[in-house]
Protein backbone atom coordinates (compact mmCIF):
# COMPACT_ATOMS: atom_id res chain seq x y z
CA UNK A 1 0.00 0.00 0.00
CA UNK A 2 1.36 3.35 -0.90
CA UNK A 3 0.98 6.55 1.11
CA UNK A 4 -1.93 7.98 -0.91
CA UNK A 5 -4.13 4.92 -0.41
CA UNK A 6 -3.29 4.92 3.29
CA UNK A 7 -4.54 8.51 3.57
CA UNK A 8 -7.73 7.70 1.65
CA UNK A 9 -8.56 4.74 3.90
CA UNK A 10 -7.72 6.50 7.14
CA UNK A 11 -10.88 7.70 8.89
CA UNK A 12 -11.26 11.43 9.26
CA UNK A 13 -10.78 12.39 12.88
CA UNK A 14 -11.65 16.05 12.56
CA UNK A 15 -14.31 17.43 10.33
CA UNK A 16 -13.96 20.85 8.85
CA UNK A 17 -16.44 23.29 10.31
CA UNK A 18 -19.12 24.45 7.93
CA UNK A 19 -18.85 28.05 6.95
CA UNK A 20 -21.61 30.24 8.29
CA UNK A 21 -22.53 31.81 4.96
CA UNK A 22 -26.09 33.07 4.58
CA UNK A 23 -28.04 31.84 1.57
CA UNK A 24 -27.99 34.13 -1.44
CA UNK A 25 -30.58 36.88 -1.38
CA UNK A 26 -33.15 36.80 -4.16
CA UNK A 27 -32.42 39.35 -6.86
CA UNK A 28 -33.89 42.77 -6.37
CA UNK A 29 -37.06 43.52 -8.26
CA UNK A 30 -37.11 46.36 -10.77
CA UNK A 31 -39.20 49.45 -10.15
CA UNK A 32 -42.06 50.35 -12.47
CA UNK A 33 -42.03 53.74 -14.18
CA UNK A 34 -44.17 55.48 -11.56
CA UNK A 35 -41.96 54.18 -8.74
CA UNK A 36 -38.83 55.39 -10.55
CA UNK A 37 -40.48 58.80 -10.96
CA UNK A 38 -41.28 58.81 -7.22
CA UNK A 39 -37.67 58.01 -6.34
CA UNK A 40 -36.53 60.86 -8.59
CA UNK A 41 -39.13 63.09 -6.97
CA UNK A 42 -37.76 62.14 -3.55
CA UNK A 43 -34.37 63.40 -4.70
CA UNK A 44 -36.01 66.67 -5.75
CA UNK A 45 -37.80 66.96 -2.40
CA UNK A 46 -34.52 66.45 -0.53
CA UNK A 47 -32.71 68.99 -2.68
CA UNK A 48 -35.53 71.50 -2.20
CA UNK A 49 -35.01 71.52 1.58
CA UNK A 50 -31.21 71.23 1.30
CA UNK A 51 -31.06 67.86 3.04
CA UNK A 52 -27.82 65.89 3.10
CA UNK A 53 -29.60 62.63 2.23
CA UNK A 54 -32.91 61.37 0.89
CA UNK A 55 -35.07 60.49 3.88
CA UNK A 56 -38.32 58.53 4.01
CA UNK A 57 -40.36 61.70 4.36
CA UNK A 58 -39.01 62.91 1.03
CA UNK A 59 -40.11 59.63 -0.53
CA UNK A 60 -43.60 59.93 0.99
CA UNK A 61 -43.96 63.52 -0.22
CA UNK A 62 -42.91 62.46 -3.71
CA UNK A 63 -45.45 59.61 -3.65
CA UNK A 64 -48.23 62.03 -2.67
CA UNK A 65 -47.35 64.62 -5.36
CA UNK A 66 -49.37 62.77 -8.01
CA UNK A 67 -53.02 63.14 -7.02
CA UNK A 68 -54.02 60.51 -9.60
CA UNK A 69 -51.42 58.00 -8.42
CA UNK A 70 -52.15 54.80 -6.51
CA UNK A 71 -50.84 56.09 -3.12
CA UNK A 72 -53.02 59.22 -3.15
CA UNK A 73 -56.09 57.29 -4.30
CA UNK A 74 -55.51 54.56 -1.69
CA UNK A 75 -55.25 57.11 1.13
CA UNK A 76 -58.38 58.86 -0.16
CA UNK A 77 -60.15 55.49 -0.20
CA UNK A 78 -59.25 55.16 3.51
CA UNK A 79 -60.78 58.59 4.14
CA UNK A 80 -57.62 60.69 4.36
CA UNK A 81 -56.74 63.73 2.31
CA UNK A 82 -53.27 63.21 0.75
CA UNK A 83 -52.62 66.97 0.84
CA UNK A 84 -53.34 66.98 4.59
CA UNK A 85 -50.92 64.10 5.13
CA UNK A 86 -48.26 65.91 3.07
CA UNK A 87 -48.73 69.02 5.26
CA UNK A 88 -48.39 66.94 8.42
CA UNK A 89 -45.18 65.38 7.12
CA UNK A 90 -43.72 68.76 6.12
CA UNK A 91 -44.57 70.25 9.54
CA UNK A 92 -43.12 67.25 11.39
CA UNK A 93 -39.93 66.97 9.35
CA UNK A 94 -36.83 68.19 11.16
CA UNK A 95 -34.88 71.02 9.59
CA UNK A 96 -31.80 69.78 7.82
CA UNK A 97 -30.05 72.95 6.62
CA UNK A 98 -26.58 71.40 6.54
CA UNK A 99 -27.19 69.66 3.25
CA UNK A 100 -24.85 69.18 0.37
CA UNK A 101 -25.46 70.86 -2.95
CA UNK A 102 -24.84 67.87 -5.19
CA UNK A 103 -27.00 66.36 -7.93
CA UNK A 104 -26.73 62.89 -6.37
CA UNK A 105 -27.74 62.43 -2.74
CA UNK A 106 -27.39 59.18 -0.80
CA UNK A 107 -30.37 57.33 0.61
CA UNK A 108 -30.71 57.55 4.38
CA UNK A 109 -31.22 54.38 6.42
CA UNK A 110 -34.96 54.97 6.79
CA UNK A 111 -35.34 55.21 3.00
CA UNK A 112 -33.26 52.09 2.45
CA UNK A 113 -35.51 50.28 4.93
CA UNK A 114 -38.64 51.55 3.16
CA UNK A 115 -37.33 50.33 -0.20
CA UNK A 116 -36.46 46.93 1.28
CA UNK A 117 -39.94 46.62 2.81
CA UNK A 118 -41.44 47.63 -0.56
CA UNK A 119 -39.50 44.84 -2.27
CA UNK A 120 -40.74 42.36 0.32
CA UNK A 121 -44.30 43.55 -0.26
CA UNK A 122 -43.96 43.09 -4.01
CA UNK A 123 -42.48 39.60 -3.59
CA UNK A 124 -45.24 38.59 -1.16
CA UNK A 125 -47.88 39.82 -3.61
CA UNK A 126 -46.25 37.87 -6.44
CA UNK A 127 -45.46 40.99 -8.45
CA UNK A 128 -42.58 41.30 -10.87
CA UNK A 129 -42.07 45.02 -10.26
CA UNK A 130 -42.14 47.34 -7.27
CA UNK A 131 -44.84 49.97 -7.68
CA UNK A 132 -45.76 53.13 -5.87
CA UNK A 133 -48.25 51.26 -3.70
CA UNK A 134 -45.53 48.99 -2.38
CA UNK A 135 -43.29 52.02 -1.76
CA UNK A 136 -46.10 53.60 0.26
CA UNK A 137 -46.52 50.48 2.40
CA UNK A 138 -42.72 50.34 2.74
CA UNK A 139 -42.58 53.89 4.11
CA UNK A 140 -45.26 52.97 6.63
CA UNK A 141 -43.38 49.86 7.77
CA UNK A 142 -39.92 51.42 8.09
CA UNK A 143 -39.87 52.01 11.87
CA UNK A 144 -37.15 54.66 11.86
CA UNK A 145 -38.78 57.04 9.42
CA UNK A 146 -40.99 60.03 10.00
CA UNK A 147 -43.78 58.65 7.74
CA UNK A 148 -44.14 55.68 10.07
CA UNK A 149 -44.86 58.01 12.98
CA UNK A 150 -47.18 60.32 11.03
CA UNK A 151 -49.23 57.52 9.42
CA UNK A 152 -49.34 55.49 12.65
CA UNK A 153 -50.59 58.58 14.49
CA UNK A 154 -53.49 58.65 12.01
CA UNK A 155 -54.13 54.93 12.72
CA UNK A 156 -53.26 53.89 9.17
CA UNK A 157 -52.19 50.26 9.39
CA UNK A 158 -50.27 48.26 6.79
CA UNK A 159 -53.20 45.83 6.47
CA UNK A 160 -55.71 48.59 5.70
CA UNK A 161 -53.28 50.28 3.34
CA UNK A 162 -52.59 47.00 1.49
CA UNK A 163 -56.28 46.36 0.94
CA UNK A 164 -56.85 49.94 -0.28
CA UNK A 165 -53.91 49.66 -2.68
CA UNK A 166 -55.18 46.34 -4.02
CA UNK A 167 -58.63 47.87 -4.52
CA UNK A 168 -57.12 50.83 -6.38
CA UNK A 169 -54.99 48.56 -8.55
CA UNK A 170 -58.03 46.55 -9.70
CA UNK A 171 -59.81 48.04 -12.69
CA UNK A 172 -63.47 48.89 -12.24
CA UNK A 173 -63.45 49.56 -8.49
Amino acid sequence: MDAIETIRRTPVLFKRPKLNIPPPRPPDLPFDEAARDALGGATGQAQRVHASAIHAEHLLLALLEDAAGVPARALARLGFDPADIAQRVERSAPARPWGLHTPVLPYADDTKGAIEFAMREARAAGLHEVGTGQLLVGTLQSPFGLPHRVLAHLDITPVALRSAIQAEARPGD
Side-chain angles (χ1 to χ4, degrees), residues 66-131:
D66 183 15
V70 172
R73 291 191 332 251
L75 288 169
R77 182 178 279 265
L78 292 175
F80 296 99
D81 181 23
D84 178 49
I85 292 175
Q87 276 185 333
R88 287 174 183 253
V89 169
E90 286 175 347
R91 281 194 309 249
S92 301
R96 296 186 172 105
W98 53 84
L100 306 171
H101 296 287
T102 62
V104 179
L105 293 173
Y107 288 117
D109 289 340
D110 54 352
T111 307
K112 290 177 188 177
I115 291 171
E116 183 62 36
F117 281 119
M119 288 197 183
R120 288 181 187 174
E121 285 290 320
R123 281 190 198 105
L127 301 174
H128 300 292
E129 290 182 323
V130 176

Side-chain angles (χ1 to χ4, degrees), residues 11-156:
V12 178
L13 298 176
F14 300 103
K15 290 187 177 182
R16 293 174 106 182
K18 289 186 178 182
L19 298 176
N20 191 12
I21 299 174
R25 212 178 102 193
D28 289 338
L29 296 174
F31 295 100
D32 66 7
E33 188 175 338
R36 285 193 305 270
D37 289 345
L39 290 170
T43 302
Q45 290 285 339
Q47 289 172 339
R48 182 177 59 84
V49 295
H50 305 293
S52 59
I54 302 166
H55 291 273
E57 64 261 20
H58 303 132
L59 179 58
L60 179 60
L61 290 172
L63 288 169
L64 296 178
E65 277 181 345
D66 183 15
V70 172
R73 291 191 332 251
L75 288 169
R77 182 178 279 265
L78 292 175
F80 296 99
D81 181 23
D84 178 49
I85 292 175
Q87 276 185 333
R88 287 174 183 253
V89 169
E90 286 175 347
R91 281 194 309 249
S92 301
R96 296 186 172 105
W98 53 84
L100 306 171
H101 296 287
T102 62
V104 179
L105 293 173
Y107 288 117
D109 289 340
D110 54 352
T111 307
K112 290 177 188 177
I115 291 171
E116 183 62 36
F117 281 119
M119 288 197 183
R120 288 181 187 174
E121 285 290 320
R123 281 190 198 105
L127 301 174
H128 300 292
E129 290 182 323
V130 176
T132 53
Q134 288 77 38
L135 283 174
L136 180 63
V137 175
T139 59
L140 176 62
Q141 289 181 327
S142 181
F144 300 111
L146 177 72
H148 172 76
R149 293 191 302 269
V150 170
L151 296 176
H153 180 70
L154 295 172
D155 292 329
I156 299 175

